[in-house]
Amino acid sequence: MRTLYKNLTVYSENDSVKADILVDGELISRVGENITEEADLVYDCSGLSAFPALCDIHVHFRDPGLTYKEDIVSGCAAAAAGGFTAVACMPNTKPVCDSAETALYMTEKAAPTGVKVYPVCSVTKGMIGAELSDFDEYIKAGIKMISDDGRPVENAELMRKTLEMTNSNGMLVASHCEDLAIINSGIMHKGKVSEALGVKGMDRASEDSITAREIALADSCGARIHICHVSTKGSIEIIRDAKKRGIKVTCETAPHYFMFTEEKLLDRDADCRMNPPLREASDVLAVLEGVRDGTVDCIVTDHAPHSPEEKADFLTAPNGVVGLETSFAASYTALCKNGGLPVTKLVTLMSAAPRRLLGIDEAVIKEGARAEFMIADLNREWTVDPSEFASKSRNSVFKGETLTGKVVLTVSAGREIYKNPSVIKRSDSMSFDRLIEKIIETQNPTVVGLDPKLEYIPEFIKDKCVAKHGAGLKAAAAALYKFNKGIIDAVCDVVPAVKPQAAYYEMYGYHGVKALYKTIRYAQSKGMYVILDGKRNDIGATMEAYSSAYLGSTDVFGDRTAAFGADSLTVNGYLGTDGIAPALKTGGSIFVLVKTSNKSSGELQDRRLCDGKTIYETMGDMCEKWGADNIGSYGYSAVGAVVGATYPAMLAEMREKLPHTFFLVPGYGAQGGGAEGVAVGFDKNGLGAIVNSSRAVMCAYKKEGCDEREYAAAARREVLRMKEDITSHIPPIKAPESN
């Protein structure tokens, strides 16, 4: 697989250049201007910038044990959406990550995501602080970093021994600098805001004193020490002085510490509470200066997910905020756009330095290197909406903030693990290649129809949405989206595509259309291909508007923006070429209604014209003609056909007569179509068609009679059953030999 990303500004630690990037398999084949070599995929990245993939050495994924907050897979999805392909996960899980077995569980679970997880194992057994863990076991397991983060190692002698032992084995020791006696149950920075709110505060001396202790201990045995999440002016000064004296100390900070002050908590919003806490303006300025002058070595997120229920009460909520999906934009906004820091410095702070600290291979954009990079739009302003996060949790201190700089694509080992299709578009000829590639990848030629009626949705989802929004259109639409997310999460790794039917969303007005938009975006963020079942049909400028809305982009005050950004759209072709040509200019693909699955379809579609052909045959021939100039790598064009499973003889006839037309096959299951009937729509490579099932998947929990809270798991079981049924009747799915 060769992919060409054209017209980029490519950043490194030292400079930026205008260049294209050609990726061949897992490696970067070429970097240079005006690359004209053939590629399977070509993207026009005009106005976009490429960076070596980011690395965050301080995250909490809550897995094992606390997966209702986050798990390895959802955490990696959040990382990919933020431009990260490597993260170091802190050990405060249940059980604590203090064994090679737990560490292996984490790395193996992360492996398919494309984000490399480096488990951080605990300094002390169980993070209790009484006995050191088995460091020899860690070394054999390849552990790069140890910490009791979430709490300090209170016993100074245990920390000294740790530093002494790791001085020879190479593991990085990271310290959560906090004197618990000084904290004394404080929940925010001790200062004027805590006094105004009448709550107990955390004195900054708590952080400063342990920072000084760790540096003194490291100095005593010539070891290196890494200070976590620096937030105070005192710690910055202590670390700066230690570096001048040649002590092996490094440190990190997070964007919220150089952007916000304690005044964020005046609204008593627990989503703005973390540990260490937001502090005073003088601390923010000191941290900013520490980033500028190199005192701060790298930027992390301290991504710490919690459930909405846990964060509901300001006084009792746990500390922590999520940050993977906002880190790059926040850092670029504060440091580069508003702070004048060279953009190249972000490569050091967010990619190169963290990887060096962990002792792992750096991500570089050069010929022969492993393809590990992300692409961002540095001009795009966006408002943070946590409901759109890939993370399970929503506790973001940046919610509602307007940031500049949006990650639009992340590549890991040559594979796109995150893509925002509303920003980055293919510029090569249209076809169904991407859909076919997903079918080959999943070995599954089926699509899940997301046509959710309210009666399909479990009562617990509807009750929760009504309680939040009231019994109206907004609650109905919110229930649709929540239901869809559950199904998408359950099937995204085994199904190549989803097909939302626009009517089921439009019936709920503005809120329903928003749910449709969010469903499309969410499915695509999970790597799924989206067929929007809109059956649009018009001519000229009106069809151009439909096509721009659903497939392409619209010029909005000089900036082209995708409204819905679906990958494909169903259309009614009975107005002829004038209703098709506008859609073919967008970069998307279309499915034209040819022989539909409904009982009355023959009233018109089966009628014969004067040349003896039926209307559906004529429409099929037109699909071949319309797609003739857009044949993809697998032999299929950008113009597909809707041919129902309820008419297998006609499906077989169409397959023979339309060799370059990809089929969308509705009517399987609930409408009576079976696997034997749909099998005739496939070619010798098990390709050429994708079979839809809607109600059988969405209502699988009802058919099974299982608990409604298991609706997503039931949907997955139905999807796998359907896959097995259909693939047992068609040839093995594979790419044509000529490719």
Side-chain angles (χ1 to χ4, degrees):
M1 181 72 175
R2 287 161 62 88
T3 306
L4 179 58
Y5 304 90
K6 293 190 67 65
N7 307 314
L8 284 158
T9 299
V10 178
Y11 284 93
S12 67
E13 284 193 273
N14 301 313
D15 60 15
S16 62
V17 296
K18 297 290 185 182
D20 305 336
I21 302 173
L22 178 62
V23 174
D24 192 346
E26 295 186 2
L27 303 179
I28 295 174
S29 175
R30 281 193 61 195
V31 179
E33 289 192 84
N34 301 318
I35 296 176
T36 57
E37 293 182 32
E38 289 189 7
D40 300 293
L41 299 180
V42 182
Y43 291 97
D44 181 2
C45 302
S46 299
L48 304 179
S49 301
F51 293 80
L54 309 183
C55 173
D56 189 338
I57 60 171
H58 193 140
V59 301
H60 301 264
F61 280 178
R62 310 302 193 197
D63 189 356
L66 300 166
T67 54
Y68 68 94
K69 302 173 189 262
E70 192 83 282
D71 58 48
I72 297 293
V73 174
S74 65
C76 287
F84 297 87
T85 64
V87 294
C89 290
M90 290 297 165
N92 55 338
T93 49
K94 288 188 177 181
V96 168
C97 187
D98 60 2
S99 69
E101 181 182 7
T102 303
L104 182 62
Y105 159 82
M106 296 168 71
T107 56
E108 288 185 342
K109 191 170 181 180
T113 70
V115 175
K116 183 81 171 177
V117 164
Y118 293 89
V120 178
C121 288
S122 63
V123 172
T124 63
K125 290 183 178 180
M127 288 181 60
I128 297 172
E131 181 183 358
L132 292 180
S133 299
D134 187 342
F135 293 173
D136 289 337
E137 179 187 8
Y138 290 173
I139 292 297
K140 290 176 183 177
I143 299 304
K144 305 289 185 182
M145 183 175 176
I146 59 174
S147 179
D148 272 6
D149 183 73
R151 58 180 297 111
V153 176
E154 292 188 83
N155 187 310
E157 176 58 13
L158 278 183
M159 179 56 86
R160 190 197 64 77
K161 286 182 178 179
T162 297
L163 292 168
E164 196 172 54
M165 294 168 70
T166 57
N167 201 17
S168 59
N169 64 32
M171 287 189 298
L172 178 66
V173 182
S175 175
H176 175 106
C177 293
E178 178 182 25
D179 187 313
L180 298 180
I182 294 176
I183 290 297
N184 191 25
S185 302
I187 66 169
M188 62 176 292
H189 176 68
K190 183 179 180 181
K192 62 181 181 180
V193 176
S194 65
E195 292 178 7
L197 295 177
V199 300
K200 187 174 288 187
M202 306 178 185
D203 196 295
R204 63 163 65 86
S206 165
E207 179 177 323
D208 297 348
S209 61
I210 303 300
T211 298
R213 185 198 80 171
E214 308 300 53
I215 289 172
L217 293 174
D219 187 27
S220 72
C221 52
R224 62 175 183 156
I225 182 70
H226 182 76
I227 308 299
C228 293
H229 39 54
V230 174
S231 71
T232 70
K233 57 187 178 183
S235 286
I236 289 289
E237 189 55 43
I238 292 166
I239 294 165
R240 181 183 287 120
D241 176 69
K243 286 189 171 189
K244 289 177 181 177
R245 291 188 288 119
I247 298 172
K248 301 176 194 174
V249 58
T250 56
C251 72
E252 66 189 40
T253 195
H256 41 270
Y257 297 125
F258 54 72
M259 292 187 73
F260 301 129
T261 69
E262 58 185 338
E263 293 185 358
K264 262 278 189 181
L265 282 85
L266 284 170
D267 292 333
R268 301 177 72 90
D269 184 352
D271 284 349
C272 298
R273 275 188 45 210
M274 73 290 294
N275 187 23
L278 299 177
R279 300 198 186 272
E280 298 174 16
S282 59
D283 297 290
V284 171
L285 291 173
V287 173
L288 267 173
E289 185 56 33
V291 172
R292 289 194 187 99
D293 69 15
T295 301
V296 174
D297 295 271
C298 64
I299 292 172
V300 301
T301 61
D302 196 4
H303 180 85
H306 294 293
S307 70
E309 292 77 14
E310 289 171 322
K311 279 290 193 176
D313 185 270
F314 179 69
L315 295 178
T316 62
N319 289 310
V321 294
V322 293
L324 282 165
E325 293 168 79
T326 53
S327 183
F328 177 80
S331 299
Y332 174 77
T333 302
L335 300 176
C336 303
K337 182 189 175 189
N338 299 334
L341 195 74
V343 178
T344 53
K345 184 69 172 175
L346 286 186
V347 177
T348 301
L349 289 165
M350 302 189 73
S351 179
R355 292 173 188 271
R356 289 175 193 140
L357 286 168
L358 271 186
I360 62 175
D361 291 340
E362 291 181 36
V364 291
I365 302 176
K366 68 178 184 180
E367 294 179 11
R370 183 179 167 95
E372 298 276 338
F373 60 88
M374 70 87 160
I375 295 175
D377 184 348
L378 298 184
N379 297 312
R380 180 163 290 249
E381 285 192 352
W382 58 290
T383 301
V384 178
D385 180 357
S387 69
E388 297 181 354
F389 284 173
S391 169
K392 284 185 178 181
S393 293
R394 305 288 177 257
N395 51 307
S396 171
V397 69
F398 288 98
K399 62 185 176 183
E401 295 287 334
T402 298
L403 303 175
T404 302
K406 182 72 172 174
V407 175
V408 299
L409 183 138
T410 304
V411 174
S412 176
R415 180 163 66 96
E416 294 172 2
I417 60 172
Y418 169 77
K419 182 172 66 175
N420 185 332
S422 70
V423 180
I424 185 163
K425 287 288 188 181
R426 286 180 59 173
S427 62
D428 55 339
S429 62
M430 294 186 304
S431 68
F432 282 103
D433 280 3
R434 283 186 297 125
L435 175 57
I436 293 169
E437 285 154 9
K438 291 297 296 183
I439 290 171
I440 294 171
E441 177 187 330
T442 58
Q443 289 291 290
N444 189 351
T446 70
V447 54
V448 172
L450 295 177
D451 313 342
K453 295 181 179 179
L454 273 182
E455 56 262 36
Y456 296 169
I457 299 177
E459 294 300 320
F460 81 94
I461 293 179
K462 291 186 284 191
D463 290 346
K464 189 171 184 179
C465 293
V466 169
K468 184 175 182 179
H469 302 294
L473 294 175
K474 188 173 183 180
L480 261 61
Y481 179 57
K482 189 171 182 64
F483 177 73
N484 287 349
K485 283 188 68 178
I487 290 182
I488 290 168
D489 285 341
V491 306
C492 62
D493 62 326
V494 294
V495 177
V498 292
K499 183 178 72 64
Q501 161 55 260
Y504 288 95
Y505 302 86
E506 292 170 358
M507 65 191 293
Y508 298 111
Y510 157 77
H511 299 291
V513 172
K514 185 177 180 181
L516 173 61
Y517 165 84
K518 291 170 68 175
T519 295
I520 292 170
R521 288 289 188 268
Y522 191 72
Q524 290 172 332
S525 76
K526 294 293 185 178
M528 303 187 82
Y529 187 95
V530 177
I531 303 167
L532 179 56
D533 196 355
K535 298 183 175 69
R536 295 306 192 243
N537 181 218
D538 218 304
I539 61 171
T542 307
M543 192 59 190
E544 287 179 5
Y546 276 135
S547 302
S548 295
Y550 294 110
L551 291 176
S553 59
T554 302
D555 191 308
V556 182
F557 306 119
D559 184 20
R560 295 206 68 84
T561 302
F564 288 89
D567 299 294
S568 185
L569 176 70
T570 60
V571 301
N572 187 329
Y574 285 90
L575 285 178
T577 303
D578 290 340
I580 299 298
L584 298 181
K585 298 177 182 178
T586 62
S589 303
I590 58 174
F591 283 106
V592 179
L593 303 182
V594 173
K595 178 58 183 172
T596 55
S597 58
N598 57 302
K599 291 181 180 179
S600 64
S601 65
E603 293 175 1
L604 175 64
Q605 295 166 16
D606 294 356
R607 287 183 175 270
R608 294 194 179 274
L609 302 175
C610 58
D611 62 0
K613 288 184 178 180
T614 62
I615 290 177
Y616 76 78
E617 287 178 287
T618 302
M619 184 60 69
D621 291 343
M622 293 174 74
C623 288
E624 280 282 302
K625 179 182 176 182
W626 286 327
D629 294 331
N630 296 300
I631 305 297
S633 301
Y634 301 94
Y636 291 98
S637 78
V639 181
V642 178
V643 185
T646 48
Y647 300 102
M650 296 171 182
L651 179 60
E653 173 192 357
M654 291 291 97
R655 179 71 289 145
E656 182 179 351
K657 291 182 177 180
L658 309 178
H660 304 298
T661 303
F662 198 89
F663 293 164
L664 171 61
V665 185
Y668 171 87
Q671 293 187 46
E676 274 191 64
V678 302
V680 297
F682 290 84
D683 65 22
K684 65 181 181 180
N685 297 303
L687 301 174
I690 189 163
V691 182
N692 177 75
S693 181
S694 302
R695 190 166 67 231
V697 176
M698 292 185 292
C699 297
Y701 74 99
K702 293 187 175 185
K703 181 181 177 181
E704 290 185 4
C706 65
D707 188 307
E708 64 172 15
R709 293 181 182 273
E710 295 296 312
Y711 79 95
R716 182 182 177 88
R717 290 190 288 272
E718 173 60 22
V719 158
L720 292 174
R721 184 208 63 77
M722 179 183 176
K723 172 186 175 180
E724 183 178 356
D725 185 29
I726 292 173
T727 55
S728 68
H729 288 82
I730 66 174
I733 298 171
K734 63 179 182 178
E737 291 182 6
S738 60
N739 289 284

